[in-house]
Amino acid sequence: MFNDHSPNQELPQFPESYWRDSVKITSFPKIAAHKEADVVVVGGGISGITTAYLLAREGLQVVLVEAGQLLNGTTGHTTAKITAQHDLIYDEFIQHFGQEQARLYYQANDEALQFIRHTVKEHGIQCDFRERDAYIYTNSDEYVTKLEQELAAYDKLGITGELVTHFDLPVPMKRALVMRKQAQFHPLKYVDKLIQLFIQFGGVIHEQTTVDTVEKAETPTVITRDGFRLTCKHVVSCSHFPFYDGMGFYFARMHAERSYVIGIPSKTDHWGGMYISAENPKRSIRTASLDTGENLILIGGESHKTGQGICTIKHYEELQAFAQSVFGATEISYRWSAQDLITLDKMPYVGQISSTSPNIYVATGYRKWGMTNSTAAALLLRDLILGKENTYRELYTPSRFHADPDVKTFFAQNADVAKHLISGKLETVHNKPEDVPNGEGAVVTVDGKRAGAYRDEQGTLHIVDTTCTHMGCELEWNHGERSWDCPCHGSRFSIDGEVMEGPAKKPLNKIVES
């Protein structure tokens, strides 16, 4: 069945991030020669760029490579809250890891917030940086109790917080937990300045440069898909999903989730905070400043595992209905989605990618709180490469393993993978390529085999094999983003089969009807 969505008001036809739409990021050439450097950083988001900037500032020769365009991944599609309030997490961390580890997690993210604040001030970065209080709110008695437990965790960890019974946001609430003096900004205006500073410090950037693998050695060599070799002393993987696994089996220790954002114009004054609901479905709310002087209300939520769940357009429609009921929204200016990776224990993996690869590093698994976690990761990576002590080394080490919750989560995630692997192979498909209308995609049958067809607005069919090139799971059509998504490990492919998100590295096979 096609076009089974019926929005109350017109959604923008294609996903468009306000951050990407409002800033022009400098482009850089594709690599065209072998190179040598002290450090090669792979991944052009906030993690990679901040890491590269910090290392270049220390006098190291750094080359940063990005498979596509800079800041076109999660960094360009975030809600850009700079906060150590990462939903209801501190009581849970105390239960799993103890007070000291939970306290270190807070300190790392608070220091990241202070680093961003200092960097903005030091370089006079015009990135709409605003200090804001962060609220977790609820209209549920059950979650009032959970907020009380989280406040108790705050008290144990020395975090300043309080429960309030009202705020200015026009949303029904019984109680809210507030963490004061957090912040928000325009992420691309901030990171664009870091790019400029990185170049000034002698850094080199190459876009449209896909990395295939690393040859391990005392001086490892990064090898690009086009065969160019980048010899260096240290390699850092900041490519969202690690481009090189190093036998860390990251695909089995993380899962991918997509979440959605809409932007609605508003002439109302800001309410003075950033907000997220405690219960599901999540509703994340903040504003951004438009060049016109008006505000844009950003409403996020509707998370689900990549490649699983309802038609993705319906997630936007749920946010749209919320915006209409709460704010009386009659216009949607932007809509976009992001993909985030979540580790077994919900804490990022940052450090040496495996015990056998001491000069290859990874930063991943930010659990949708990437602004502070990415900065904390960059500060840790800098110290590891420079041989300096860092308080958070053991906290974030990718080699850690906790019996609780890692074992339970590991088996649950991999049981889910097995279920989708089997169900995809057993699915009966009735659609044929000729059934697919313009602007739509669907799983179809070609010569008796499962395939994926998308017919563009001009009527041209794009048909690909729907078997994921990572581990053979069957892909599902993502109508909202016009992509083929893997329900097992979160790989995503374009309508022509090109890899958009890992862990897959190889494109899908294209199919020509016989």
Side-chain angles (χ1 to χ4, degrees):
M1 182 177 181
F2 303 99
N3 282 321
D4 60 343
H5 52 90
S6 52
N8 296 322
Q9 59 197 73
E10 189 70 21
L11 284 166
Q13 185 178 7
F14 294 101
E16 181 71 74
S17 159
Y18 166 66
W19 314 125
R20 296 277 311 172
D21 186 51
S22 57
V23 171
K24 182 174 177 57
I25 303 296
T26 304
S27 60
F28 294 89
K30 185 176 182 178
I31 196 166
H34 304 307
K35 290 183 180 291
E36 293 185 1
D38 293 317
V39 184
V40 173
V41 177
V42 181
I46 187 172
S47 293
I49 292 169
T50 306
T51 301
Y53 157 73
L54 289 170
L55 292 170
R57 191 172 70 173
E58 294 289 336
L60 275 66
Q61 184 180 1
V62 183
V63 175
L64 184 148
V65 295
E66 162 58 40
Q69 295 177 306
L70 294 180
L71 305 172
N72 198 31
T74 303
T75 303
H77 296 83
T78 176
T79 53
K81 297 177 179 179
I82 318 168
T83 177
Q85 188 191 64
H86 295 173
D87 205 345
L88 297 174
I89 197 62
Y90 290 105
D91 179 61
E92 181 178 340
F93 277 177
I94 288 173
Q95 301 304 316
H96 290 316
F97 316 130
Q99 290 188 29
E100 182 57 28
Q101 295 293 85
R103 183 180 294 110
L104 287 175
Y105 180 83
Y106 168 74
Q107 290 176 355
N109 283 277
D110 183 62
E111 288 177 13
L113 164 60
Q114 305 313 324
F115 174 86
I116 293 173
R117 178 183 277 120
H118 173 76
T119 302
V120 169
K121 184 176 180 180
E122 178 186 9
H123 298 291
I125 305 176
Q126 301 300 309
C127 61
D128 304 324
F129 184 93
R130 300 287 186 273
E131 189 171 277
R132 296 286 184 250
D133 295 337
Y135 294 86
I136 308 172
Y137 70 91
T138 186
N139 202 36
S140 157
D141 290 334
E142 175 188 356
Y143 278 88
V144 167
T145 301
K146 292 185 177 183
L147 289 181
E148 292 170 346
Q149 293 170 340
E150 188 75 354
L151 179 61
Y154 280 22
D155 292 339
K156 292 175 184 177
L157 302 177
I159 302 172
T160 302
E162 62 178 307
L163 286 175
V164 297
T165 55
H166 68 277
F167 50 37
D168 293 334
L169 189 70
V171 174
M173 62 87 87
K174 291 185 175 181
R175 204 71 59 87
L177 176 61
V178 58
M179 187 181 287
R180 305 290 185 188
K181 295 184 178 180
Q182 305 302 289
Q184 64 183 42
F185 66 169
H186 190 305
L188 300 200
K189 290 181 179 178
Y190 169 78
V191 182
D192 185 50
K193 181 63 176 180
L194 296 189
I195 293 170
Q196 297 173 32
L197 293 168
F198 173 60
I199 297 300
Q200 291 174 21
F201 287 128
V204 175
I205 297 176
H206 291 290
E207 294 180 300
Q208 309 301 328
T209 300
T210 300
V211 171
D212 270 348
T213 190
V214 178
E215 287 183 354
K216 293 196 300 182
E218 184 175 345
T219 54
T221 299
V222 175
I223 302 175
T224 74
R225 182 169 295 173
D226 293 334
F228 293 108
R229 302 171 66 87
L230 293 83
T231 304
C232 56
K233 299 174 183 176
H234 305 275
V235 180
V236 184
S237 173
C238 295
S239 55
H240 194 49
F241 193 96
F243 78 91
Y244 173 76
D245 190 270
M247 297 303 289
F249 299 107
Y250 287 91
F251 68 87
R253 297 198 289 139
M254 295 190 291
H255 74 271
E257 290 190 5
R258 295 202 70 75
S259 54
Y260 302 82
V261 182
I262 61 171
I264 60 174
S266 172
K267 295 182 179 179
T268 61
D269 292 334
H270 190 273
W271 306 288
M274 307 178 296
Y275 310 85
I276 189 169
S277 62
E279 62 266 40
N280 291 319
K282 290 293 181 185
R283 294 292 179 261
S284 170
I285 305 167
R286 62 155 287 191
T287 59
S289 301
L290 298 172
D291 293 337
T292 61
E294 296 181 341
N295 287 322
L296 190 70
I297 303 174
L298 303 182
I299 302 171
E302 292 292 306
S303 296
H304 64 88
K305 283 190 175 182
T306 299
Q308 302 182 23
I310 61 176
C311 172
T312 50
I313 281 291
K314 292 188 179 295
H315 294 294
Y316 288 116
E317 292 175 1
E318 290 296 326
L319 296 179
Q320 175 184 342
F322 177 82
Q324 190 167 20
S325 65
V326 173
F327 304 108
T330 58
E331 178 185 351
I332 295 177
S333 301
Y334 297 93
R335 70 171 175 95
W336 69 86
S337 68
Q339 182 145 311
D340 293 272
L341 295 171
I342 301 173
T343 68
L344 292 176
D345 60 12
K346 300 184 181 180
M347 202 173 284
Y349 295 137
V350 185
Q352 292 169 330
I353 199 163
S354 71
S355 58
T356 61
S357 305
N359 48 5
I360 304 175
Y361 307 82
V362 66
T364 188
Y366 299 150
R367 198 179 61 87
K368 305 177 187 178
W369 298 101
M371 296 300 97
T372 52
N373 268 319
S374 65
T375 302
L379 292 167
L380 173 54
L381 291 167
R382 175 199 61 188
D383 289 350
L384 292 176
I385 289 171
L386 294 177
K388 295 182 178 180
E389 290 296 320
N390 188 293
T391 305
Y392 311 112
R393 178 173 185 158
E394 294 303 317
L395 177 74
Y396 286 124
T397 181
S399 63
R400 69 181 185 270
F401 188 84
H402 305 97
D404 181 18
D406 289 21
V407 172
K408 180 180 178 181
T409 307
F410 177 85
F411 283 113
Q413 286 184 186
N414 285 282
D416 182 67
V417 168
K419 180 186 74 174
H420 284 277
L421 176 61
I422 294 169
S423 64
K425 301 300 182 184
L426 298 179
E427 179 185 7
T428 301
V429 179
H430 299 289
N431 292 321
K432 297 180 179 179
E434 56 265 30
D435 299 329
V436 181
N438 287 9
E440 296 284 351
V443 174
V444 298
T445 298
V446 177
D447 295 333
K449 296 181 179 180
R450 193 182 196 273
Y454 173 75
R455 191 184 300 275
D456 62 29
E457 299 296 342
Q458 289 70 45
T460 302
L461 269 173
H462 305 255
I463 306 177
V464 294
D465 186 340
T466 57
T467 301
C468 182
T469 57
H470 174 229
M471 292 189 70
C473 293
E474 293 300 322
L475 307 174
E476 300 295 338
W477 174 243
N478 178 339
H479 178 78
E481 320 305 319
R482 289 175 167 78
S483 62
W484 294 102
D485 298 356
C486 179
C488 293
H489 299 110
S491 296
R492 298 178 63 234
F493 302 83
S494 71
I495 59 171
D496 289 316
E498 294 301 317
V499 177
M500 299 171 65
E501 303 265 5
K505 292 184 177 181
K506 297 180 180 179
L508 302 174
N509 291 326
K510 295 182 181 180
I511 295 175
V512 178
E513 291 185 90
S514 59

